[in-house]
Amino acid sequence: MGQPVASRGRPATPTVGKAMLNKYARAFFTRVLTPFAAFLIRRGVSPDTVTLLGTTGVVAGALVFYPQGELFWGTVVITLFVFSDLVDGNMARQLGRSSRWGAFLDSTLDRVADGAIFGGFALWYAGGGDDNVLCAVSIFCLTSGQVVSYTKARGESIGLPVAVNGLVERAERLVVSLVAAGLAGFDTFGVPGIHVLLPIALWLVAVGSLVTLIQRVVTVRRESAEAEAAEAAAQDNEGGQHNASHGSGAAT
C-alpha cells in the first residue's frame, strides 16, 4: 500500500504542496518507525510480508466493521494497518532493496485495499445504512479510483509521461474518506449530527475522482497527439535526408 509515502522502486511526481507535506511527514515517520523496521529485519521479517499483512488488516477492518456500521472502530483498525506501508518502505531502504517486484506488489495491493474500504461503505449503505444512493456513490468511488490509477499505468505503459497529478489522487481519497468515517463513527457514542460527514466525504471523493479521471484522459490524449506528431516529423525529416543523399549521388 503506498501513496502517502513513495513506494518501493516507484517514482512519484507530486505537486509543490504535496512534495512539502510528503517531505516533512516522511521525515517524521522515518524517525519514529526506523527502530521498529530495524527490529523486524533482525527478526527475519521481509518487506513483502509486512505489505501483505498490512493489506490483510485493512481489508479485514473494512469488510468486518464497516458493513456493521462500526465506522469508528473500522477506521481505527484500518489506520493502524495503513502504517505498514511506511514500515515496509523503511525496511526496503534499510536493506537497500528497491525492486520492480516490490513496486508491483505495493501498487497491486493498494488497489485491493482501496476496493475493500469503499466496498465496506457500499455494503453498509446497502444494508443497515439503508441508502441506495450512497451505496451507488460508494461503488462509484471504488470504480473511479481504480480507473484513475489504471489511466496513469496504461498511459505510462505506452510510453507517455502522463504528467498530471489530478485533483483527487489516492492519498486524498483515503484521507478524506477515513477521517470522515472515523468522525462519523462518533454517532454511535451519542454525538448528534456527525453522521453526515461520511456522505459529504463520499460525494466529494466521487466528484473529485471524476475530475481527476477527466484530467488524466485529456492529458493522455494531448501527450499521445504530441508524440505522434513528433514521430511523423522525425519520419519526414529522415525521408528528406534520404532523398537529399540520393540526389547528391545522382549529381556526381
Side-chain angles (χ1 to χ4, degrees), residues 102-242:
F104 170 81
L105 184 65
D106 277 348
S107 181
T108 300
L109 294 184
D110 284 350
R111 309 287 82 78
V112 174
D114 293 358
I117 291 170
F118 289 104
F121 293 147
L123 289 172
W124 163 240
Y125 286 117
D130 193 24
D131 194 319
N132 289 336
V133 172
L134 288 176
C135 175
V137 173
S138 299
I139 293 173
F140 179 82
C141 289
L142 189 163
T143 305
S144 60
Q146 307 292 333
V147 176
V148 164
S149 298
Y150 174 79
T151 54
K152 187 172 182 64
R154 183 64 179 129
E156 291 174 343
S157 73
I158 58 176
L160 301 176
V162 195
V164 61
N165 288 307
L167 180 64
V168 175
E169 297 188 311
R170 182 174 187 261
E172 290 80 9
R173 291 196 301 270
L174 288 183
V175 170
V176 171
S177 301
L178 292 177
V179 169
L183 293 175
F186 280 102
D187 180 67
T188 59
F189 301 120
V191 179
I194 202 166
H195 65 279
V196 301
L197 290 180
L198 181 56
I200 292 172
L202 289 173
W203 278 107
L204 289 175
V205 170
V207 173
S209 297
L210 178 60
V211 172
T212 303
L213 177 59
I214 293 172
Q215 287 176 305
R216 289 195 174 178
V217 170
V218 170
T219 298
V220 170
R221 178 69 183 91
R222 174 178 53 79
E223 291 177 350
S224 176
E226 291 173 352
E228 291 171 359
E231 290 173 359
Q235 290 176 356
D236 289 343
N237 186 45
E238 289 177 1
Q241 291 178 349
H242 180 72

Side-chain angles (χ1 to χ4, degrees), residues 7 19 27 36 45 55 60 62 72 80 82 86 98-99 108 145 157 169 171 185 205 211 223-224 242:
S7 298
F36 179 60
V45 180
T55 302
F72 175 78
L80 289 175
V82 160
L86 310 179
S98 180
S99 66
T108 300
S157 73
E169 297 188 311
V205 170
V211 172
E223 291 177 350
S224 176
H242 180 72

